[in-house]
Amino acid sequence: MKLADDFYQRIQDRVRARLAEDELDGLIVTVPGDVAYLIGFFYAVTERPVYLWFGRDGSRFALLPELDAEYAAAQGVHADIRTYFEYPGVRTPEQHLADELAKSGTPLARIGVSSALTIGAQAALVDALPSSSFIRTRILSDLRLRKEPEEIELHRQAADVCDEMLGAGRALIEAALRSGGPLPTEGELARAVIGFGTDRMYERYSHVIYTTKLAGGLVYAGPNAARPHGLPSRRRLEIGDTLILSLGAAVGSRFVESERTFVIGEPSAAQRAYFDVALRAQEIGTQAMTVGRTCASVNTECLDVIRDAGLGGYIRHRQGHGIGIAQHEAPWVEDGDPTVLAPGMILSSEPGIYIPGHAGYRISDSVLVTADGPQRLTRYPRTLEENTIA
Amino acid sequence: MKLADDFYQRIQDRVRARLAEDELDGLIVTVPGDVAYLIGFFYAVTERPVYLWFGRDGSRFALLPELDAEYAAAQGVHADIRTYFEYPGVRTPEQHLADELAKSGTPLARIGVSSALTIGAQAALVDALPSSSFIRTRILSDLRLRKEPEEIELHRQAADVCDEMLGAGRALIEAALRSGGPLPTEGELARAVIGFGTDRMYERYSHVIYTTKLAGGLVYAGPNAARPHGLPSRRRLEIGDTLILSLGAAVGSRFVESERTFVIGEPSAAQRAYFDVALRAQEIGTQAMTVGRTCASVNTECLDVIRDAGLGGYIRHRQGHGIGIAQHEAPWVEDGDPTVLAPGMILSSEPGIYIPGHAGYRISDSVLVTADGPQRLTRYPRTLEENTIA
């Protein structure tokens, strides 16, 4: 699951070039996904901050809590390691950071930080480095928009696992139907598919790393499926249910999502009609993900399929979002995001319709934008014929 | 898993009293744990912010993304619900918030926000509400320090599950030893105990809710156990290993941690010696958690046991941390935290020693501070005699 040194060298070179362009002396990086992206350090996130200093002058170190130092060394992270003992500390982590920066003698007038920095951390940085200006910068989120070939390969591997998780979920229901036993509950199904995905990761990779999780999923059926982000319940699946398996998996913390709608038993006319609209919106929205178009225009075209079918009142969310080291990241496939699609972007395409009291219908693929058009990384079958479980 | 209306009424009354004391017109709340605490809304956290307005004048509403509105209504949250369509939106969520506040006509000169607000969100709030001052306040983190009786009951139930998870992990190893088959890997053991805990939750509770997870755990053995926060690997357990099961569980999003050190096979002299020091430090540190003492003094007394045994070089972290709606929250049982212990606080007591290349030793209980002294909520056996798996 580890990326080669060459990847980190390339990313770091680009960051240095952007720092020069933007006349910043360096970056203070503390968002876990940004740290993983820039130096390949993956860790259990707690209140103890990791502060990565990345100077335009080539100075570079990661300040970690003591408890992670040996783990970072074992991962071969691409920065020197410095430590502070603990949080909150008699001296704050930010004061330790200032001490280390003073030792290095690097210029510190203009320091870039992410919008995701907390106001508490910013206040502590201002206290510790009173002569520096902290400037919000999008350098790392901009670079993360377009994935490198090595990253795309990890996303492809994650897509394979995620598609297999869908298959495992379906198989569990089919086995219950065949045996005449009770169908699983949403909670049981969620636990089974997440466990399946986790097992696959450990089977396939000797060095398992992640920023938030290896595999996850929401599972909901019948009326619960009308709530797009409901947590799995202990409601037992029933014949006649519409079922959404909304699954995610990450290899080397490169995520995909694969989500499918199933019908258990013979679909009703209403189920056929809703399914058809959701599938068409997803197909048209996915094909619209071409280089040069804006996120906003793709989203509008996609959701218009639902609106034109007279089901606009059942829309509850945008078409999709960027996906990378974070399961949700920029760009956003939504009316408010003017980002122009470019090769190497990976986007979820997941329009949905939600009929209160009845069910929800959502099909999601993780889609790679290429010069030759959109390419779905997730490939599990999508049609109602294929996803009727009887 | 749901708390009664009376709980939310009590907490909201206290917040209003604190707003009056601090001369704040209201709070804008967006930390998921704070939202759950104040109005009982539990949701899958994404980039789409939830903004809860809580005014000193009694005005109160939660602004949610459209996709969560019906789920919030079904949970019976203790605030009116307003919605914005999506993130990022042609108009930002913060602009929608300003619109709703303008409608309500409530005073907005001085608004309290948490230190955990991001600088990006703060900038958007300042843009949307240019006449308001945003003041960092600890009102909610202060209130969350001491748990209410109903919350303590949930923590107790979580402790029961967490102790059972430890038992399930041990049983898996014993079964492998008995059958003469291979021992499980760290990853397999992690998946099994987390799955066990998740199943217990769904068996016991009809309404399963959480902010981050139901059950989780780190599992590491042998040399890997020397890295306090290493992720589970696919290393297979071996006879002779020291094993740490570091498990957490939450009922109604009220967390506990239960962590135990085991030895597989007959313990060596070194294992006995290290185990003995870790156990003594934990016992003395736990008994020190009495009303009126500071977090710093408890931590010092606890870690002194390790230093006095000549093992200070193997310390990698503080004694513990507060535990509540978040798995880690204030206060911090560390030298830098002068918080005075008070009845109703729940703290982890988990000193550890980590010997590079050999293993780690850590025993953790979640401890309730009471007027009658510390009370361990987690009760799984702790001694080497009891935790030798042979």
Side-chain angles (χ1 to χ4, degrees):
Chain A
M1 282 180 154
K2 281 183 75 165
L3 294 171
D5 293 359
D6 177 57
F7 169 81
Y8 294 103
Q9 191 60 54
R10 201 181 321 138
I11 301 300
Q12 294 189 358
D13 287 348
R14 285 183 199 163
V15 173
R16 260 184 296 269
R18 280 287 304 266
L19 288 169
E21 266 175 53
D22 298 355
E23 296 181 345
L24 292 170
D25 293 313
L27 292 179
I28 289 178
V29 182
T30 192
V31 173
D34 287 342
V35 172
Y37 182 65
L38 201 47
I39 64 168
F41 176 42
F42 296 82
Y43 53 103
V45 176
T46 68
E47 65 287 352
R48 303 166 176 104
V50 168
Y51 280 120
L52 169 63
W53 166 255
F54 192 91
R56 188 167 107 204
D57 64 0
S59 58
R60 196 184 58 187
F61 62 84
L63 177 70
L64 316 177
E66 190 70 50
L67 90 169
D68 271 333
E70 285 139 343
Y71 191 48
Q75 287 185 35
V77 305
H78 294 262
D80 292 342
I81 294 170
R82 315 282 166 84
T83 61
Y84 65 93
F85 175 56
E86 253 295 5
Y87 180 87
V90 175
R91 284 174 67 72
T92 66
E94 293 77 14
Q95 287 168 329
H96 286 284
L97 176 64
D99 294 347
E100 294 293 337
L101 285 168
K103 278 188 228 164
S104 75
T106 188
L108 297 170
R110 286 168 50 82
I111 299 177
V113 293
S114 158
S115 285
L117 186 71
T118 67
I119 60 175
Q122 183 176 50
L125 288 171
V126 167
D127 277 350
L129 294 162
S131 316
S132 302
S133 301
F134 296 93
I135 294 140
R136 278 194 289 148
T137 173
R138 296 179 43 92
I139 291 181
L140 289 172
S141 41
D142 281 354
L143 288 178
R144 283 172 58 180
L145 287 172
R146 296 175 64 169
K147 278 62 184 169
E148 293 297 294
E150 304 95 315
E151 294 181 283
I152 292 169
E153 174 55 28
L154 294 180
H155 284 283
R156 282 190 202 285
Q157 293 176 25
D160 290 344
V161 173
C162 213
D163 283 344
E164 291 171 46
M165 288 167 65
L166 285 169
R170 180 188 177 131
L172 194 74
I173 299 167
E174 286 177 328
L177 287 173
R178 265 198 311 275
S179 75
L183 292 179
T185 66
E186 293 173 7
E188 287 164 357
L189 200 47
R191 173 216 202 291
V193 294
I194 294 168
F196 178 92
T198 305
D199 283 350
R200 282 293 162 282
M201 299 288 180
Y202 279 104
E203 281 166 27
R204 285 182 197 167
Y205 304 102
S206 58
H207 183 62
V208 172
I209 48 176
Y210 49 92
T211 49
T212 51
K213 61 187 166 192
L214 291 172
L218 297 177
V219 171
Y220 23 50
N224 289 347
R227 297 173 193 148
H229 269 189
L231 304 171
S233 80
R234 69 172 180 180
R235 179 185 181 283
R236 202 166 282 290
L237 271 54
E238 294 173 11
I239 307 271
D241 274 355
T242 302
L243 164 73
I244 299 179
L245 294 182
S246 168
L247 309 184
V251 170
S253 199
R254 265 64 181 186
F255 273 93
V256 299
E257 293 177 2
S258 193
E259 307 184 344
R260 291 296 182 268
T261 300
F262 299 86
V263 170
I264 305 177
E266 189 54 34
S268 69
Q271 285 173 317
R272 287 182 190 282
Y274 292 131
F275 194 108
D276 176 61
V277 173
L279 182 66
R280 266 196 297 133
Q282 207 263 354
E283 176 63 25
I284 289 168
T286 302
Q287 295 311 327
M289 290 177 157
T290 54
V291 170
R293 289 193 62 168
T294 66
C295 282
S297 83
V298 174
N299 180 61
T300 302
E301 181 174 347
C302 177
L303 298 190
D304 273 350
V305 176
I306 301 173
R307 288 185 280 252
D308 291 348
L311 302 180
Y314 297 141
I315 294 174
R316 295 287 180 275
H317 59 76
R318 67 195 173 204
Q319 182 187 354
H321 54 79
I323 187 163
I325 292 179
Q327 195 170 352
H328 288 202
E329 62 184 38
W332 313 103
V333 190
E334 203 261 345
D335 288 350
D337 191 335
T339 302
V340 175
L341 297 192
M345 289 183 179
I346 300 181
L347 308 168
S348 77
S349 177
E350 51 173 318
I353 51 177
Y354 305 91
I355 302 92
H358 166 63
Y361 296 78
R362 179 170 77 246
I363 294 164
S364 175
D365 286 299
S366 295
V367 180
L368 174 67
V369 178
T370 82
D372 302 325
Q375 194 182 105
R376 287 177 160 109
L377 303 182
T378 40
R379 293 176 297 183
Y380 194 87
R382 286 168 203 90
T383 67
L384 178 57
E385 291 60 46
E386 293 165 301
N387 290 337
T388 297
I389 308 177
Chain B
M1 280 178 152
K2 281 184 75 164
L3 294 172
D5 294 358
D6 177 57
F7 169 81
Y8 295 101
Q9 191 59 56
R10 202 182 319 140
I11 301 299
Q12 295 189 357
D13 286 347
R14 286 182 197 161
V15 173
R16 260 185 297 269
R18 279 288 304 268
L19 288 169
E21 267 176 53
D22 298 355
E23 297 181 345
L24 293 170
D25 293 312
L27 291 178
I28 289 178
V29 183
T30 193
V31 173
D34 286 342
V35 172
Y37 182 64
L38 201 46
I39 63 166
F41 176 42
F42 297 81
Y43 53 103
V45 177
T46 69
E47 65 286 351
R48 303 167 177 104
V50 168
Y51 281 119
L52 169 61
W53 166 256
F54 192 91
R56 188 167 106 205
D57 65 0
S59 58
R60 198 184 58 191
F61 62 84
L63 178 70
L64 315 178
E66 191 70 52
L67 90 168
D68 271 333
E70 283 139 344
Y71 191 47
Q75 286 184 36
V77 305
H78 294 263
D80 292 342
I81 295 171
R82 314 283 167 84
T83 61
Y84 65 93
F85 175 55
E86 254 293 10
Y87 181 87
V90 176
R91 284 174 68 71
T92 66
E94 292 78 13
Q95 287 168 329
H96 286 284
L97 176 64
D99 293 345
E100 294 293 337
L101 286 168
K103 278 188 230 165
S104 74
T106 187
L108 298 170
R110 287 169 47 83
I111 299 177
V113 293
S114 158
S115 286
L117 187 72
T118 67
I119 60 174
Q122 185 176 48
L125 288 173
V126 168
D127 277 350
L129 294 162
S131 316
S132 302
S133 302
F134 296 92
I135 294 141
R136 278 194 288 148
T137 173
R138 297 178 43 92
I139 291 181
L140 288 172
S141 40
D142 281 354
L143 287 179
R144 283 174 55 180
L145 288 172
R146 296 174 64 170
K147 278 61 183 170
E148 294 296 294
E150 303 95 315
E151 295 182 282
I152 293 169
E153 175 55 27
L154 295 180
H155 285 282
R156 283 189 201 284
Q157 294 176 24
D160 290 343
V161 173
C162 213
D163 283 344
E164 290 170 47
M165 288 165 67
L166 285 169
R170 180 189 177 132
L172 194 75
I173 300 167
E174 286 177 330
L177 286 173
R178 264 198 313 275
S179 75
L183 292 179
T185 67
E186 293 173 7
E188 287 164 358
L189 200 47
R191 174 221 208 284
V193 294
I194 294 168
F196 178 92
T198 304
D199 283 350
R200 283 291 162 283
M201 299 289 179
Y202 279 104
E203 281 166 28
R204 287 185 196 164
Y205 303 102
S206 58
H207 183 61
V208 172
I209 48 176
Y210 50 91
T211 50
T212 51
K213 61 188 165 191
L214 290 172
L218 298 176
V219 171
Y220 22 54
N224 289 348
R227 296 172 193 149
H229 270 187
L231 303 172
S233 80
R234 68 174 182 181
R235 179 185 181 282
R236 203 165 280 290
L237 272 53
E238 294 174 10
I239 306 270
D241 273 355
T242 302
L243 164 72
I244 299 179
L245 294 182
S246 169
L247 310 184
V251 170
S253 198
R254 265 64 181 186
F255 272 94
V256 299
E257 292 178 0
S258 192
E259 307 184 346
R260 292 295 182 267
T261 300
F262 299 86
V263 171
I264 304 176
E266 188 56 31
S268 69
Q271 284 172 316
R272 286 182 191 282
Y274 292 131
F275 195 106
D276 176 59
V277 173
L279 182 65
R280 267 195 297 132
Q282 206 261 357
E283 176 62 24
I284 289 167
T286 302
Q287 295 311 326
M289 290 176 157
T290 55
V291 171
R293 288 194 62 169
T294 65
C295 282
S297 83
V298 173
N299 180 60
T300 302
E301 182 174 346
C302 176
L303 298 189
D304 274 350
V305 175
I306 300 172
R307 289 185 277 254
D308 291 348
L311 302 181
Y314 297 142
I315 294 173
R316 296 287 179 276
H317 59 76
R318 66 193 173 205
Q319 182 187 352
H321 54 81
I323 187 163
I325 292 179
Q327 195 170 352
H328 289 204
E329 62 183 37
W332 314 103
V333 190
E334 203 262 344
D335 288 352
D337 191 336
T339 303
V340 175
L341 298 192
M345 289 182 178
I346 300 181
L347 308 168
S348 77
S349 177
E350 49 173 318
I353 52 178
Y354 304 92
I355 303 92
H358 166 62
Y361 296 79
R362 179 171 75 247
I363 294 164
S364 174
D365 286 299
S366 295
V367 180
L368 173 67
V369 179
T370 82
D372 302 327
Q375 193 181 106
R376 287 177 161 109
L377 301 182
T378 41
R379 293 176 297 182
Y380 194 86
R382 289 169 201 88
T383 68
L384 179 56
E385 292 61 45
E386 292 164 303
N387 289 338
T388 298
I389 306 178

